[in-house]
PDB file of all heavy atoms in Angstrom:
ATOM      1  N   SER A 735     133.844  46.514 123.889  1.00 93.00           N
ATOM      2  CA  SER A 735     134.432  45.868 125.071  1.00 93.00           C
ATOM      3  C   SER A 735     134.865  46.906 126.107  1.00 93.00           C
ATOM      4  O   SER A 735     134.770  46.660 127.318  1.00 93.00           O
ATOM      5  CB  SER A 735     135.621  44.995 124.664  1.00 93.00           C
ATOM      6  OG  SER A 735     136.550  45.720 123.895  1.00 93.00           O
ATOM      7  N   GLY A 736     135.313  48.073 125.651  1.00 93.00           N
ATOM      8  CA  GLY A 736     135.682  49.142 126.574  1.00 93.00           C
ATOM      9  C   GLY A 736     134.504  49.622 127.393  1.00 93.00           C
ATOM     10  O   GLY A 736     134.632  49.957 128.571  1.00 93.00           O
ATOM     11  N   SER A 737     133.327  49.641 126.772  1.00 94.00           N
ATOM     12  CA  SER A 737     132.114  50.068 127.468  1.00 94.00           C
ATOM     13  C   SER A 737     131.783  49.129 128.629  1.00 94.00           C
ATOM     14  O   SER A 737     131.539  49.572 129.758  1.00 94.00           O
ATOM     15  CB  SER A 737     130.942  50.101 126.477  1.00 94.00           C
ATOM     16  OG  SER A 737     129.731  50.402 127.127  1.00 94.00           O
ATOM     17  N   PHE A 738     131.791  47.829 128.374  1.00 94.00           N
ATOM     18  CA  PHE A 738     131.495  46.850 129.424  1.00 94.00           C
ATOM     19  C   PHE A 738     132.584  46.841 130.498  1.00 94.00           C
ATOM     20  O   PHE A 738     132.291  46.700 131.686  1.00 94.00           O
ATOM     21  CB  PHE A 738     131.345  45.454 128.815  1.00 94.00           C
ATOM     22  CG  PHE A 738     130.032  45.236 128.130  1.00 94.00           C
ATOM     23  CD1 PHE A 738     129.906  45.392 126.757  1.00 94.00           C
ATOM     24  CD2 PHE A 738     128.897  44.887 128.855  1.00 94.00           C
ATOM     25  CE1 PHE A 738     128.695  45.207 126.113  1.00 94.00           C
ATOM     26  CE2 PHE A 738     127.675  44.695 128.226  1.00 94.00           C
ATOM     27  CZ  PHE A 738     127.569  44.856 126.847  1.00 94.00           C
ATOM     28  N   ALA A 739     133.825  46.999 130.084  1.00 94.00           N
ATOM     29  CA  ALA A 739     134.941  46.998 131.030  1.00 94.00           C
ATOM     30  C   ALA A 739     134.819  48.166 132.006  1.00 94.00           C
ATOM     31  O   ALA A 739     135.022  48.009 133.217  1.00 94.00           O
ATOM     32  CB  ALA A 739     136.267  47.069 130.279  1.00 94.00           C
ATOM     33  N   GLY A 740     134.478  49.349 131.489  1.00 93.00           N
ATOM     34  CA  GLY A 740     134.331  50.523 132.346  1.00 93.00           C
ATOM     35  C   GLY A 740     133.211  50.368 133.351  1.00 93.00           C
ATOM     36  O   GLY A 740     133.346  50.743 134.524  1.00 93.00           O
ATOM     37  N   ALA A 741     132.078  49.813 132.903  1.00 92.00           N
ATOM     38  CA  ALA A 741     130.934  49.615 133.798  1.00 92.00           C
ATOM     39  C   ALA A 741     131.277  48.628 134.917  1.00 92.00           C
ATOM     40  O   ALA A 741     130.921  48.850 136.087  1.00 92.00           O
ATOM     41  CB  ALA A 741     129.729  49.121 133.002  1.00 92.00           C
ATOM     42  N   CYS A 742     131.961  47.555 134.572  1.00 94.00           N
ATOM     43  CA  CYS A 742     132.356  46.560 135.581  1.00 94.00           C
ATOM     44  C   CYS A 742     133.327  47.165 136.586  1.00 94.00           C
ATOM     45  O   CYS A 742     133.220  46.926 137.801  1.00 94.00           O
ATOM     46  CB  CYS A 742     132.992  45.349 134.912  1.00 94.00           C
ATOM     47  SG  CYS A 742     131.838  44.345 133.943  1.00 94.00           S
ATOM     48  N   GLY A 743     134.264  47.966 136.095  1.00 93.00           N
ATOM     49  CA  GLY A 743     135.227  48.608 136.979  1.00 93.00           C
ATOM     50  C   GLY A 743     134.560  49.575 137.941  1.00 93.00           C
ATOM     51  O   GLY A 743     134.902  49.631 139.125  1.00 93.00           O
ATOM     52  N   MET A 744     133.593  50.333 137.451  1.00 91.00           N
ATOM     53  CA  MET A 744     132.890  51.288 138.317  1.00 91.00           C
ATOM     54  C   MET A 744     132.123  50.560 139.412  1.00 91.00           C
ATOM     55  O   MET A 744     132.111  50.997 140.570  1.00 91.00           O
ATOM     56  CB  MET A 744     131.933  52.150 137.507  1.00 91.00           C
ATOM     57  CG  MET A 744     130.958  52.942 138.370  1.00 91.00           C
ATOM     58  SD  MET A 744     130.218  54.351 137.553  1.00 91.00           S
ATOM     59  CE  MET A 744     131.419  55.609 137.960  1.00 91.00           C
ATOM     60  N   ALA A 745     131.465  49.464 139.056  1.00 90.00           N
ATOM     61  CA  ALA A 745     130.696  48.709 140.043  1.00 90.00           C
ATOM     62  C   ALA A 745     131.590  48.220 141.181  1.00 90.00           C
ATOM     63  O   ALA A 745     131.193  48.226 142.349  1.00 90.00           O
ATOM     64  CB  ALA A 745     130.010  47.520 139.370  1.00 90.00           C
ATOM     65  N   VAL A 746     132.817  47.830 140.855  1.00 92.00           N
ATOM     66  CA  VAL A 746     133.754  47.336 141.860  1.00 92.00           C
ATOM     67  C   VAL A 746     134.266  48.468 142.750  1.00 92.00           C
ATOM     68  O   VAL A 746     134.380  48.317 143.972  1.00 92.00           O
ATOM     69  CB  VAL A 746     134.952  46.632 141.181  1.00 92.00           C
ATOM     70  CG1 VAL A 746     136.047  46.316 142.198  1.00 92.00           C
ATOM     71  CG2 VAL A 746     134.491  45.358 140.497  1.00 92.00           C
ATOM     72  N   GLY A 747     134.554  49.619 142.153  1.00 92.00           N
ATOM     73  CA  GLY A 747     135.233  50.682 142.895  1.00 92.00           C
ATOM     74  C   GLY A 747     134.377  51.799 143.450  1.00 92.00           C
ATOM     75  O   GLY A 747     134.892  52.676 144.146  1.00 92.00           O
ATOM     76  N   TYR A 748     133.066  51.783 143.196  1.00 92.00           N
ATOM     77  CA  TYR A 748     132.239  52.932 143.567  1.00 92.00           C
ATOM     78  C   TYR A 748     132.211  53.231 145.067  1.00 92.00           C
ATOM     79  O   TYR A 748     132.298  54.401 145.458  1.00 92.00           O
ATOM     80  CB  TYR A 748     130.810  52.758 143.043  1.00 92.00           C
ATOM     81  CG  TYR A 748     130.062  54.067 142.949  1.00 92.00           C
ATOM     82  CD1 TYR A 748     130.179  54.880 141.822  1.00 92.00           C
ATOM     83  CD2 TYR A 748     129.250  54.506 143.993  1.00 92.00           C
ATOM     84  CE1 TYR A 748     129.508  56.082 141.737  1.00 92.00           C
ATOM     85  CE2 TYR A 748     128.585  55.713 143.913  1.00 92.00           C
ATOM     86  CZ  TYR A 748     128.705  56.493 142.788  1.00 92.00           C
ATOM     87  OH  TYR A 748     128.045  57.700 142.708  1.00 92.00           O
ATOM     88  N   PRO A 749     132.059  52.240 145.947  1.00 91.00           N
ATOM     89  CA  PRO A 749     132.045  52.565 147.383  1.00 91.00           C
ATOM     90  C   PRO A 749     133.296  53.311 147.846  1.00 91.00           C
ATOM     91  O   PRO A 749     133.205  54.295 148.589  1.00 91.00           O
ATOM     92  CB  PRO A 749     131.946  51.180 148.044  1.00 91.00           C
ATOM     93  CG  PRO A 749     131.255  50.338 147.029  1.00 91.00           C
ATOM     94  CD  PRO A 749     131.802  50.807 145.708  1.00 91.00           C
ATOM     95  N   MET A 750     134.472  52.868 147.393  1.00 92.00           N
ATOM     96  CA  MET A 750     135.708  53.553 147.776  1.00 92.00           C
ATOM     97  C   MET A 750     135.812  54.915 147.111  1.00 92.00           C
ATOM     98  O   MET A 750     136.413  55.843 147.660  1.00 92.00           O
ATOM     99  CB  MET A 750     136.921  52.685 147.432  1.00 92.00           C
ATOM    100  CG  MET A 750     137.153  51.545 148.412  1.00 92.00           C
ATOM    101  SD  MET A 750     138.710  50.669 148.126  1.00 92.00           S
ATOM    102  CE  MET A 750     138.246  49.629 146.743  1.00 92.00           C
ATOM    103  N   ASP A 751     135.208  55.075 145.939  1.00 91.00           N
ATOM    104  CA  ASP A 751     135.196  56.371 145.269  1.00 91.00           C
ATOM    105  C   ASP A 751     134.382  57.376 146.076  1.00 91.00           C
ATOM    106  O   ASP A 751     134.758  58.549 146.175  1.00 91.00           O
ATOM    107  CB  ASP A 751     134.612  56.235 143.862  1.00 91.00           C
ATOM    108  CG  ASP A 751     134.698  57.531 143.074  1.00 91.00           C
ATOM    109  OD1 ASP A 751     135.822  57.947 142.743  1.00 91.00           O
ATOM    110  OD2 ASP A 751     133.645  58.141 142.803  1.00 91.00           O
ATOM    111  N   THR A 752     133.275  56.929 146.656  1.00 91.00           N
ATOM    112  CA  THR A 752     132.455  57.808 147.500  1.00 91.00           C
ATOM    113  C   THR A 752     133.255  58.292 148.701  1.00 91.00           C
ATOM    114  O   THR A 752     133.240  59.494 149.032  1.00 91.00           O
ATOM    115  CB  THR A 752     131.194  57.058 147.979  1.00 91.00           C
ATOM    116  OG1 THR A 752     130.404  56.705 146.841  1.00 91.00           O
ATOM    117  CG2 THR A 752     130.367  57.919 148.924  1.00 91.00           C
ATOM    118  N   VAL A 753     133.963  57.389 149.355  1.00 92.00           N
ATOM    119  CA  VAL A 753     134.799  57.766 150.496  1.00 92.00           C
ATOM    120  C   VAL A 753     135.882  58.742 150.061  1.00 92.00           C
ATOM    121  O   VAL A 753     136.146  59.752 150.735  1.00 92.00           O
ATOM    122  CB  VAL A 753     135.431  56.503 151.134  1.00 92.00           C
ATOM    123  CG1 VAL A 753     136.421  56.895 152.231  1.00 92.00           C
ATOM    124  CG2 VAL A 753     134.349  55.603 151.705  1.00 92.00           C
ATOM    125  N   LYS A 754     136.478  58.486 148.911  1.00 91.00           N
ATOM    126  CA  LYS A 754     137.540  59.350 148.384  1.00 91.00           C
ATOM    127  C   LYS A 754     137.050  60.776 148.159  1.00 91.00           C
ATOM    128  O   LYS A 754     137.672  61.755 148.577  1.00 91.00           O
ATOM    129  CB  LYS A 754     138.065  58.763 147.079  1.00 91.00           C
ATOM    130  CG  LYS A 754     139.171  59.555 146.414  1.00 91.00           C
ATOM    131  CD  LYS A 754     138.787  60.329 145.182  1.00 91.00           C
ATOM    132  CE  LYS A 754     137.985  59.626 144.148  1.00 91.00           C
ATOM    133  NZ  LYS A 754     137.738  60.445 142.949  1.00 91.00           N
ATOM    134  N   VAL A 755     135.903  60.915 147.511  1.00 90.00           N
ATOM    135  CA  VAL A 755     135.352  62.239 147.202  1.00 90.00           C
ATOM    136  C   VAL A 755     135.020  62.996 148.482  1.00 90.00           C
ATOM    137  O   VAL A 755     135.277  64.199 148.594  1.00 90.00           O
ATOM    138  CB  VAL A 755     134.102  62.109 146.308  1.00 90.00           C
ATOM    139  CG1 VAL A 755     133.380  63.449 146.184  1.00 90.00           C
ATOM    140  CG2 VAL A 755     134.496  61.612 144.926  1.00 90.00           C
ATOM    141  N   ARG A 756     134.455  62.308 149.463  1.00 90.00           N
ATOM    142  CA  ARG A 756     134.094  62.980 150.718  1.00 90.00           C
ATOM    143  C   ARG A 756     135.324  63.459 151.479  1.00 90.00           C
ATOM    144  O   ARG A 756     135.323  64.552 152.058  1.00 90.00           O
ATOM    145  CB  ARG A 756     133.252  62.034 151.585  1.00 90.00           C
ATOM    146  CG  ARG A 756     131.875  61.775 150.992  1.00 90.00           C
ATOM    147  CD  ARG A 756     130.975  60.946 151.892  1.00 90.00           C
ATOM    148  NE  ARG A 756     129.634  60.863 151.323  1.00 90.00           N
ATOM    149  CZ  ARG A 756     128.585  60.373 151.958  1.00 90.00           C
ATOM    150  NH1 ARG A 756     128.718  59.908 153.187  1.00 90.00           N
ATOM    151  NH2 ARG A 756     127.396  60.345 151.369  1.00 90.00           N
ATOM    152  N   ILE A 757     136.377  62.656 151.472  1.00 90.00           N
ATOM    153  CA  ILE A 757     137.612  63.058 152.147  1.00 90.00           C
ATOM    154  C   ILE A 757     138.228  64.276 151.461  1.00 90.00           C
ATOM    155  O   ILE A 757     138.749  65.186 152.118  1.00 90.00           O
ATOM    156  CB  ILE A 757     138.613  61.885 152.173  1.00 90.00           C
ATOM    157  CG1 ILE A 757     138.128  60.792 153.123  1.00 90.00           C
ATOM    158  CG2 ILE A 757     139.999  62.360 152.604  1.00 90.00           C
ATOM    159  CD1 ILE A 757     138.972  59.540 153.090  1.00 90.00           C
ATOM    160  N   GLN A 758     138.151  64.306 150.136  1.00 86.00           N
ATOM    161  CA  GLN A 758     138.739  65.405 149.375  1.00 86.00           C
ATOM    162  C   GLN A 758     138.020  66.736 149.582  1.00 86.00           C
ATOM    163  O   GLN A 758     138.629  67.794 149.507  1.00 86.00           O
ATOM    164  CB  GLN A 758     138.723  65.069 147.875  1.00 86.00           C
ATOM    165  CG  GLN A 758     139.724  64.024 147.450  1.00 86.00           C
ATOM    166  CD  GLN A 758     139.611  63.702 145.968  1.00 86.00           C
ATOM    167  OE1 GLN A 758     138.589  63.959 145.342  1.00 86.00           O
ATOM    168  NE2 GLN A 758     140.661  63.131 145.406  1.00 86.00           N
ATOM    169  N   THR A 759     136.721  66.678 149.819  1.00 84.00           N
ATOM    170  CA  THR A 759     135.912  67.902 149.771  1.00 84.00           C
ATOM    171  C   THR A 759     135.316  68.348 151.100  1.00 84.00           C
ATOM    172  O   THR A 759     134.880  69.487 151.211  1.00 84.00           O
ATOM    173  CB  THR A 759     134.750  67.724 148.773  1.00 84.00           C
ATOM    174  OG1 THR A 759     133.945  66.601 149.181  1.00 84.00           O
ATOM    175  CG2 THR A 759     135.270  67.482 147.369  1.00 84.00           C
ATOM    176  N   GLN A 760     135.278  67.481 152.109  1.00 83.00           N
ATOM    177  CA  GLN A 760     134.602  67.831 153.358  1.00 83.00           C
ATOM    178  C   GLN A 760     135.519  67.609 154.560  1.00 83.00           C
ATOM    179  O   GLN A 760     135.980  66.490 154.805  1.00 83.00           O
ATOM    180  CB  GLN A 760     133.317  67.001 153.512  1.00 83.00           C
ATOM    181  CG  GLN A 760     132.337  67.220 152.351  1.00 83.00           C
ATOM    182  CD  GLN A 760     131.064  66.428 152.534  1.00 83.00           C
ATOM    183  OE1 GLN A 760     130.490  66.377 153.624  1.00 83.00           O
ATOM    184  NE2 GLN A 760     130.596  65.792 151.460  1.00 83.00           N
ATOM    185  N   ASN A 761     135.764  68.675 155.290  1.00 81.00           N
ATOM    186  CA  ASN A 761     136.696  68.625 156.418  1.00 81.00           C
ATOM    187  C   ASN A 761     136.163  67.817 157.601  1.00 81.00           C
ATOM    188  O   ASN A 761     136.924  67.497 158.514  1.00 81.00           O
ATOM    189  CB  ASN A 761     137.037  70.045 156.878  1.00 81.00           C
ATOM    190  CG  ASN A 761     137.870  70.789 155.848  1.00 81.00           C
ATOM    191  OD1 ASN A 761     138.649  70.183 155.120  1.00 81.00           O
ATOM    192  ND2 ASN A 761     137.710  72.098 155.774  1.00 81.00           N
ATOM    193  N   GLN A 762     134.868  67.498 157.606  1.00 84.00           N
ATOM    194  CA  GLN A 762     134.307  66.706 158.694  1.00 84.00           C
ATOM    195  C   GLN A 762     134.821  65.277 158.684  1.00 84.00           C
ATOM    196  O   GLN A 762     134.732  64.563 159.681  1.00 84.00           O
ATOM    197  CB  GLN A 762     132.774  66.706 158.602  1.00 84.00           C
ATOM    198  CG  GLN A 762     132.216  65.913 157.420  1.00 84.00           C
ATOM    199  CD  GLN A 762     130.728  66.103 157.242  1.00 84.00           C
ATOM    200  OE1 GLN A 762     130.255  67.113 156.740  1.00 84.00           O
ATOM    201  NE2 GLN A 762     129.977  65.105 157.671  1.00 84.00           N
ATOM    202  N   PHE A 763     135.374  64.860 157.545  1.00 86.00           N
ATOM    203  CA  PHE A 763     135.941  63.520 157.434  1.00 86.00           C
ATOM    204  C   PHE A 763     137.459  63.615 157.515  1.00 86.00           C
ATOM    205  O   PHE A 763     138.100  64.258 156.683  1.00 86.00           O
ATOM    206  CB  PHE A 763     135.515  62.865 156.126  1.00 86.00           C
ATOM    207  CG  PHE A 763     134.012  62.726 155.994  1.00 86.00           C
ATOM    208  CD1 PHE A 763     133.324  63.413 155.014  1.00 86.00           C
ATOM    209  CD2 PHE A 763     133.295  61.920 156.861  1.00 86.00           C
ATOM    210  CE1 PHE A 763     131.948  63.300 154.884  1.00 86.00           C
ATOM    211  CE2 PHE A 763     131.924  61.796 156.753  1.00 86.00           C
ATOM    212  CZ  PHE A 763     131.237  62.492 155.768  1.00 86.00           C
ATOM    213  N   THR A 764     138.025  62.962 158.527  1.00 81.00           N
ATOM    214  CA  THR A 764     139.457  63.111 158.793  1.00 81.00           C
ATOM    215  C   THR A 764     140.307  61.973 158.250  1.00 81.00           C
ATOM    216  O   THR A 764     141.531  62.064 158.242  1.00 81.00           O
ATOM    217  CB  THR A 764     139.684  63.206 160.315  1.00 81.00           C
ATOM    218  OG1 THR A 764     139.120  62.050 160.947  1.00 81.00           O
ATOM    219  CG2 THR A 764     139.000  64.459 160.872  1.00 81.00           C
ATOM    220  N   GLY A 765     139.682  60.893 157.815  1.00 85.00           N
ATOM    221  CA  GLY A 765     140.443  59.766 157.293  1.00 85.00           C
ATOM    222  C   GLY A 765     139.528  58.730 156.680  1.00 85.00           C
ATOM    223  O   GLY A 765     138.298  58.839 156.751  1.00 85.00           O
ATOM    224  N   VAL A 766     140.139  57.717 156.102  1.00 89.00           N
ATOM    225  CA  VAL A 766     139.373  56.694 155.388  1.00 89.00           C
ATOM    226  C   VAL A 766     138.434  55.943 156.318  1.00 89.00           C
ATOM    227  O   VAL A 766     137.231  55.813 156.050  1.00 89.00           O
ATOM    228  CB  VAL A 766     140.334  55.690 154.701  1.00 89.00           C
ATOM    229  CG1 VAL A 766     139.538  54.542 154.080  1.00 89.00           C
ATOM    230  CG2 VAL A 766     141.168  56.392 153.643  1.00 89.00           C
ATOM    231  N   TRP A 767     138.955  55.448 157.448  1.00 91.00           N
ATOM    232  CA  TRP A 767     138.134  54.636 158.338  1.00 91.00           C
ATOM    233  C   TRP A 767     137.073  55.471 159.037  1.00 91.00           C
ATOM    234  O   TRP A 767     135.930  55.023 159.215  1.00 91.00           O
ATOM    235  CB  TRP A 767     139.016  53.912 159.367  1.00 91.00           C
ATOM    236  CG  TRP A 767     139.995  52.981 158.727  1.00 91.00           C
ATOM    237  CD1 TRP A 767     141.351  53.053 158.767  1.00 91.00           C
ATOM    238  CD2 TRP A 767     139.673  51.842 157.922  1.00 91.00           C
ATOM    239  NE1 TRP A 767     141.911  52.042 158.026  1.00 91.00           N
ATOM    240  CE2 TRP A 767     140.908  51.280 157.498  1.00 91.00           C
ATOM    241  CE3 TRP A 767     138.489  51.249 157.511  1.00 91.00           C
ATOM    242  CZ2 TRP A 767     140.976  50.149 156.694  1.00 91.00           C
ATOM    243  CZ3 TRP A 767     138.544  50.125 156.698  1.00 91.00           C
ATOM    244  CH2 TRP A 767     139.773  49.578 156.311  1.00 91.00           C
ATOM    245  N   GLN A 768     137.434  56.696 159.422  1.00 93.00           N
ATOM    246  CA  GLN A 768     136.451  57.571 160.068  1.00 93.00           C
ATOM    247  C   GLN A 768     135.322  57.908 159.104  1.00 93.00           C
ATOM    248  O   GLN A 768     134.139  57.906 159.473  1.00 93.00           O
ATOM    249  CB  GLN A 768     137.149  58.851 160.549  1.00 93.00           C
ATOM    250  CG  GLN A 768     136.245  59.798 161.335  1.00 93.00           C
ATOM    251  CD  GLN A 768     135.588  60.847 160.459  1.00 93.00           C
ATOM    252  OE1 GLN A 768     136.049  61.119 159.357  1.00 93.00           O
ATOM    253  NE2 GLN A 768     134.492  61.429 160.955  1.00 93.00           N
ATOM    254  N   CYS A 769     135.658  58.176 157.850  1.00 92.00           N
ATOM    255  CA  CYS A 769     134.651  58.486 156.838  1.00 92.00           C
ATOM    256  C   CYS A 769     133.774  57.265 156.551  1.00 92.00           C
ATOM    257  O   CYS A 769     132.547  57.385 156.422  1.00 92.00           O
ATOM    258  CB  CYS A 769     135.333  58.958 155.550  1.00 92.00           C
ATOM    259  SG  CYS A 769     134.191  59.377 154.220  1.00 92.00           S
ATOM    260  N   THR A 770     134.399  56.102 156.471  1.00 92.00           N
ATOM    261  CA  THR A 770     133.652  54.869 156.211  1.00 92.00           C
ATOM    262  C   THR A 770     132.659  54.589 157.336  1.00 92.00           C
ATOM    263  O   THR A 770     131.489  54.279 157.095  1.00 92.00           O
ATOM    264  CB  THR A 770     134.618  53.677 156.056  1.00 92.00           C
ATOM    265  OG1 THR A 770     135.534  53.947 154.986  1.00 92.00           O
ATOM    266  CG2 THR A 770     133.851  52.398 155.753  1.00 92.00           C
ATOM    267  N   ARG A 771     133.131  54.702 158.595  1.00 92.00           N
ATOM    268  CA  ARG A 771     132.253  54.458 159.738  1.00 92.00           C
ATOM    269  C   ARG A 771     131.112  55.463 159.791  1.00 92.00           C
ATOM    270  O   ARG A 771     129.956  55.093 160.014  1.00 92.00           O
ATOM    271  CB  ARG A 771     133.060  54.515 161.046  1.00 92.00           C
ATOM    272  CG  ARG A 771     133.923  53.307 161.309  1.00 92.00           C
ATOM    273  CD  ARG A 771     134.375  53.266 162.770  1.00 92.00           C
ATOM    274  NE  ARG A 771     135.031  54.520 163.155  1.00 92.00           N
ATOM    275  CZ  ARG A 771     136.335  54.747 163.045  1.00 92.00           C
ATOM    276  NH1 ARG A 771     137.121  53.798 162.542  1.00 92.00           N
ATOM    277  NH2 ARG A 771     136.861  55.887 163.437  1.00 92.00           N
ATOM    278  N   ALA A 772     131.444  56.739 159.587  1.00 91.00           N
ATOM    279  CA  ALA A 772     130.426  57.782 159.658  1.00 91.00           C
ATOM    280  C   ALA A 772     129.373  57.616 158.565  1.00 91.00           C
ATOM    281  O   ALA A 772     128.171  57.790 158.800  1.00 91.00           O
ATOM    282  CB  ALA A 772     131.086  59.160 159.544  1.00 91.00           C
TER     283      ALA A 772
END
């Protein structure tokens, strides 16, 4: 059940995780909305 739960959670949160990683590592992104739009 933990395996299925983790996969479902990742599917829900992956887009925001991408924005999070880019903000953390790349100075060209100045905020959540700017990164999302770009």
